[in-house]
């Protein structure tokens, strides 16, 4: 049951209801979906808060900017087969991704969608964007690390888009279509990251 912020039952006749179409029009479908899932943390009731919509918009912006960073900074660096960690930052982000992905899988399998989103959000925002993207800026300028760093950036971003796709299907598919424009594959039919 979706309740008002103060815990009352939503009702059109009482004027406490929300119009999801208005929210989608105002904030976008992914931000609205994010807000619903974000607030579904155990129990059967959700106390609706529009602050979660703003959080969703900020997270979508973060995904978009991180993707743009990866595309721009790795352009011209040849693809290498396999991903090899060469620095402590490489090892840290790969280990954090593996842990976040396993946790997301476990929570999705047990229908704990809010927990899955919270935990993967923390990985993407803090481990990938705040820590690894900053380290990658330096590593990409070093010829010894540039190719492996670019490969890790691409792998973690692409696999993160796959994990986030059930929660944020529109933005992840839009970013994926930019990446895979040549072969025209859709993210929705990609296999789950291994």
């Amino acid at each position: 049951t979706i309740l008002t912020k103060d815990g009352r039952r939503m009702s059109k006749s009482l004027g406490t209801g929300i119009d999801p179409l208005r929210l989608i029009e105002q904030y976008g479908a992914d931000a609205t979906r994010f807000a619903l899932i974000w607030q579904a943390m155990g129990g059967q009731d959700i106390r609706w808060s529009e602050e979660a919509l703003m959080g969703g918009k900020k997270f979508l912006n973060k995904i978009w900017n991180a993707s743009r960073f990866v595309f721009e900074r790795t352009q011209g660096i040849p693809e290498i087969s396999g991903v090899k960690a060469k620095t402590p930052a490489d090892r840290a982000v790969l280990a954090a991704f593996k842990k976040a992905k396993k946790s997301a899988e476990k929570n999705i399998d047990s229908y704990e969608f809010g927990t899955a989103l919270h935990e993967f959000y923390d990985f993407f925002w803090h481990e990938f964007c705040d820590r690894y993207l900053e380290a990658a800026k330096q590593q990409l300028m070093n010829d010894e690390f540039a190719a492996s760093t670019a490969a890790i950036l691409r792998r973690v971003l692409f696999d993160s888009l796959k994990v986030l796709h059930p929660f944020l299907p529109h933005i992840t598919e839009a970013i994926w279509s930019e990446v895979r424009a040549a072969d025209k594959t859709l993210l929705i039919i990609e296999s789950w990251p291994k």
Side-chain angles (χ1 to χ4, degrees):
T1 305
I2 300 179
L3 306 173
T4 61
K5 194 175 186 175
D6 59 358
R8 293 185 301 154
R9 189 175 202 92
M10 286 198 176
S11 165
K12 279 186 176 181
S13 61
L14 294 175
T16 58
I18 57 169
D19 181 2
L21 295 177
R22 180 190 63 80
L23 295 177
I24 291 169
E25 187 177 306
Q26 186 175 354
Y27 296 100
D30 276 348
T32 303
R33 186 180 178 109
F34 175 94
L36 281 167
I37 297 168
W38 186 259
Q39 295 176 87
M41 294 294 292
Q44 293 182 341
D45 298 336
I46 295 173
R47 286 191 179 210
W48 180 253
S49 168
E50 289 204 25
E51 287 85 22
L53 288 162
M54 292 308 300
K57 282 187 75 161
K58 288 178 182 176
F59 187 51
L60 296 172
N61 191 50
K62 190 73 157 178
I63 295 167
W64 191 265
N65 288 336
S67 300
R68 192 174 68 220
F69 172 89
V70 171
F71 302 147
E72 289 174 358
R73 295 291 180 101
T74 63
Q75 193 172 16
I77 299 175
E79 300 256 351
I80 58 173
S81 61
V83 172
K84 286 191 176 180
K86 292 189 173 185
T87 68
D90 294 346
R91 287 186 284 283
V93 76
L94 291 171
F97 174 78
K98 184 178 180 181
K99 181 180 175 188
K101 180 186 72 86
K102 281 186 179 186
S103 178
E105 289 169 344
K106 181 181 86 78
N107 286 308
I108 289 169
D109 287 345
S110 61
Y111 303 103
E112 297 292 333
F113 303 117
T115 304
L117 181 57
H118 274 261
E119 290 179 6
F120 205 81
Y121 168 99
D122 286 340
F123 159 75
F124 192 86
W125 192 294
H126 303 296
E127 297 296 328
F128 184 61
C129 294
D130 290 349
R131 291 186 183 92
Y132 193 67
L133 293 186
E134 290 305 313
K137 289 175 186 176
Q138 299 301 315
Q139 291 178 197
L140 288 169
M141 292 189 288
N142 183 325
D143 291 340
E144 181 183 353
F145 303 129
S148 62
T149 300
I152 291 169
L153 282 167
R154 291 176 186 129
R155 167 69 62 84
V156 173
L157 175 65
F158 298 164
D159 286 352
S160 293
L161 291 174
K162 291 176 182 179
V163 173
L164 288 167
H165 188 67
F167 306 106
L168 307 168
H170 301 285
I171 192 170
T172 54
E173 195 69 67
I175 294 168
W176 189 263
S177 69
E178 292 290 322
V179 175
R180 306 300 293 239
D183 61 11
K184 296 186 180 359
T185 61
L186 296 175
L187 180 55
I188 196 168
I189 62 171
E190 286 291 317
S191 59
W192 189 257
K194 294 190 174 20

